Amino acid sequence: MLRTRNLQPSLWESVLPEVCLRLPAELERVDAWLDDERFFAPFRAHFDARLGRPSVPMETYLRLMFLKHRYGLGYETLCAEVSDSISWRRFCRIDIDGRVPHPTTLMKITARCGEQAVAALNDELLAKANEQKLVRTGKVRADTTVVSANVKYPTDSGLLAGAVVKISRLVKRIKAAGGAARTEFHDRSRTAARRLRTIASKLRLRGAAARQEAQATVARVTGELASLVDRVSAEAAAVARNARRALPRAAGRVKGRLRRALNELDTVLHRAARVVAQARIRLAGGQPEAATRLVSLHDPHARPIAKGRIDRPIEFGYKGQVVDNDDGIVLDYTIEEGNPADATQLAPAISRIQQRTGKVPRAVAADRGYGDASVETHLHQLGVKTVAIPRKGTTSAARRQHEQRPAFRKLVKWRTGCEGRISHLKHRYGWARTRLDGLTGARIWCGHGVFAHNLVKITTLAAARP
């Protein structure tokens, strides 16, 4: 059952001194801005209005998620800090003697409402700011970045060994729940770990001959691990087949645990087969296709992305686009799987900004990655008057003269501020690495980061208005 506000009064409000009831300036501004019924609307579709146990008040949930992404806190740390702070309790509308929501409750609400609720929250925030004439759309700038997935650096041998360990743990869970108790299965986790240590010992050697020996060892051990995964997967498939026969006889919570473990095992077996296929393609001298390459067993949507950085030539995660304005308000953002072309993303972003604000930006600036003639044509069709995007490749003399104009160069220089905006989002609002798995998780994570960032920006602008 949806609960939007905490209506229970607290006697502590009249007992505590005024200095304890005072909020910090930023939180006071954000608190006043969030005290609006429109921010509860995105959650109404996910809860019944009358049936079920009352939820955490949405005003409390929104403020908790703002604190989480504003200060880069984990769920457990967030709840502990709010529990120990009088000002944060008052900001989150939690009574001093009241219970702070459990971290898993916040996780479940976040997963239940999904990316649509977060996107709607950002739309409502921009709509309110636009109504109060705080959003300027005269000129906007766009840039892309990589949002790293919550994965370690993927190697074929590491993924294969991880598959062996994960399959073995799931089979133990199935047997503990009473499924296929007599079906034979050999836990080969220690064997996989020994193979990885063999690779590590060879990679520590120096010299040309040692490097060749290390490469040969890596190829040999990777092949052995691939065969090991095949054997473990065959035994696990037999366990799953027999456990499903026992599923109708199970009851209560045991049946639920058994069903969840079987479903998870099916998923891991499918992904392990993909990892084995990738490894064998590489051992045969080929290269797995980057657009479909699996780099994690728990995050199937993360992909290798090359952005040309010297320190990190290849990053693993998702491609994000940010469009902001003069004041630094993020007017549009997207998180996409793989490495789609920059050029195809700009015109839809400008169209979404027009729908949100009712106005078409007068000028749009972006880097050379967007530099296709079709992009400029689409933007002019939308009503954009000035487009400052350097073209790719060799250009004509007329185009070079156009790009040397002072107004064009001024916009291109102003465009570099979007890189600073992305850096700020990465360092302060969690865009450096998503802590939620999958494409949906990355969109939820980055959406909450943008919501917290825009709240700070918009409330600061509103406070500075004479």
Side-chain angles (χ1 to χ4, degrees):
M1 183 175 72
L2 180 65
R3 194 157 53 120
T4 58
R5 298 185 183 275
N6 182 12
L7 300 177
Q8 185 173 357
S10 174
L11 295 176
W12 288 102
E13 297 288 335
S14 58
V15 174
L16 290 174
E18 185 182 352
V19 67
C20 294
L21 301 177
R22 195 178 303 140
L23 292 176
E26 181 182 286
L27 294 186
E28 189 174 5
R29 294 195 299 265
V30 172
D31 180 63
W33 195 270
L34 287 178
D35 200 16
D36 190 331
E37 291 285 339
R38 70 195 308 161
F39 293 115
F40 307 145
F43 300 99
R44 297 189 187 280
H46 303 280
F47 296 89
D48 193 278
R50 295 182 298 107
L51 301 179
R53 187 168 55 184
S55 69
V56 173
M58 287 300 109
E59 62 176 2
T60 298
Y61 172 76
L62 278 177
R63 287 162 171 80
L64 285 168
M65 295 305 291
F66 169 79
L67 291 175
K68 172 179 167 53
H69 287 270
R70 177 69 179 91
Y71 297 104
L73 304 174
Y75 286 104
E76 292 83 0
T77 307
L78 169 69
C79 294
E81 292 291 336
V82 172
S83 180
D84 288 343
S85 171
I86 293 177
S87 62
W88 279 21
R89 274 178 172 272
R90 293 202 67 246
F91 172 72
C92 295
R93 308 292 174 87
I94 300 173
D95 296 337
I96 294 176
D97 56 345
R99 294 180 61 182
V100 176
H102 195 271
T104 57
T105 303
L106 301 180
M107 297 177 197
K108 289 173 183 176
I109 294 176
T110 302
R112 179 176 186 170
C113 297
E115 61 180 286
Q116 294 84 6
V118 182
L121 269 179
N122 280 291
D123 289 344
E124 292 291 349
L125 178 61
L126 286 176
K128 182 174 180 179
N130 190 52
E131 289 171 5
Q132 299 192 16
K133 302 189 183 304
L134 293 170
V135 179
R136 296 194 293 171
T137 57
K139 55 181 181 178
V140 300
R141 53 196 176 189
D143 202 0
T144 58
T145 187
V146 176
V147 179
S148 296
N150 195 25
V151 301
K152 62 182 181 181
Y153 193 91
T155 60
D156 290 331
S157 56
L159 288 172
L160 291 167
V164 172
V165 172
K166 198 158 190 174
I167 291 170
S168 300
R169 287 176 180 170
L170 286 169
V171 169
K172 285 181 181 178
R173 280 174 52 189
I174 291 171
K175 287 179 174 288
R182 291 181 294 178
T183 304
E184 189 177 18
F185 179 83
H186 297 90
D187 186 349
R188 295 183 171 87
S189 300
R190 294 176 65 185
T191 304
R194 282 198 299 271
R195 298 288 190 275
L196 283 183
R197 286 195 293 272
T198 303
I199 292 177
S201 64
K202 293 296 182 181
L203 291 177
R204 282 194 291 266
L205 301 177
R206 296 291 182 266
R211 281 198 298 271
Q212 291 179 357
E213 182 184 355
Q215 290 172 359
T217 302
V218 169
R220 175 179 60 80
V221 173
T222 301
E224 293 174 358
L225 284 170
S227 301
L228 190 64
V229 172
D230 284 339
R231 292 199 297 273
V232 170
S233 298
E235 292 182 5
V239 170
R241 190 166 52 250
N242 293 335
R244 288 198 183 279
R245 295 195 188 104
L247 192 59
R249 297 192 297 272
R253 293 184 178 182
V254 173
K255 185 173 185 177
R257 286 199 296 268
L258 182 57
R259 182 185 290 111
R260 285 192 297 272
L262 285 169
N263 291 339
E264 192 173 345
L265 180 60
D266 289 343
T267 302
V268 172
L269 289 176
H270 173 69
R271 292 174 186 172
R274 288 179 59 185
V275 171
V276 169
Q278 290 174 183
R280 287 185 170 144
I281 289 174
R282 201 184 298 275
L283 291 173
Q287 188 71 20
E289 188 178 353
T292 58
R293 180 186 164 195
L294 194 68
V295 299
S296 171
L297 291 170
H298 64 85
D299 193 340
H301 301 116
R303 294 289 179 268
I305 301 174
K307 287 287 284 181
R309 293 182 57 172
I310 296 175
D311 58 337
R312 278 177 283 181
I314 304 294
E315 298 176 80
F316 302 93
Y318 305 91
K319 190 168 187 178
Q321 177 181 260
V322 173
V323 183
D324 72 337
N325 67 355
D326 251 340
D327 296 317
I329 299 173
V330 177
L331 302 178
D332 186 80
Y333 73 95
T334 54
I335 303 294
E336 301 295 340
E337 181 179 334
N339 191 12
D342 293 356
T344 59
Q345 301 183 61
L346 187 54
I350 300 302
S351 179
R352 289 191 294 270
I353 291 173
Q354 180 186 8
Q355 293 173 7
R356 293 187 186 111
T357 64
K359 294 174 285 187
V360 179
R362 186 185 69 256
V364 175
D367 63 12
R368 203 178 296 274
Y370 295 88
D372 290 343
S374 59
V375 175
E376 196 165 334
T377 302
H378 292 157
L379 292 178
H380 285 311
Q381 289 174 352
L382 289 172
V384 178
K385 291 183 170 55
T386 305
V387 179
I389 305 176
R391 289 282 175 84
K392 298 177 183 177
T394 305
T395 57
S396 64
R399 181 65 191 181
R400 288 196 298 271
Q401 185 178 4
H402 173 73
E403 292 183 6
Q404 290 299 318
R405 291 178 179 176
F408 188 95
R409 296 178 66 183
K410 184 177 179 180
L411 276 175
V412 169
K413 289 180 180 178
W414 174 76
R415 194 277 321 163
T416 57
C418 196
E419 297 177 7
R421 181 66 43 211
I422 289 174
S423 178
H424 185 56
L425 286 170
K426 288 194 169 190
H427 284 90
R428 297 291 184 182
Y429 294 94
W431 271 54
R433 178 183 289 263
T434 170
R435 300 294 177 178
L436 301 179
D437 294 338
L439 179 61
T440 299
R443 287 173 174 169
I444 292 171
W445 183 269
C446 294
H448 276 297
V450 169
F451 184 70
H453 169 273
N454 280 350
L455 259 178
V456 173
K457 280 286 177 185
I458 291 170
T459 54
T460 304
L461 287 172
R465 176 185 287 179

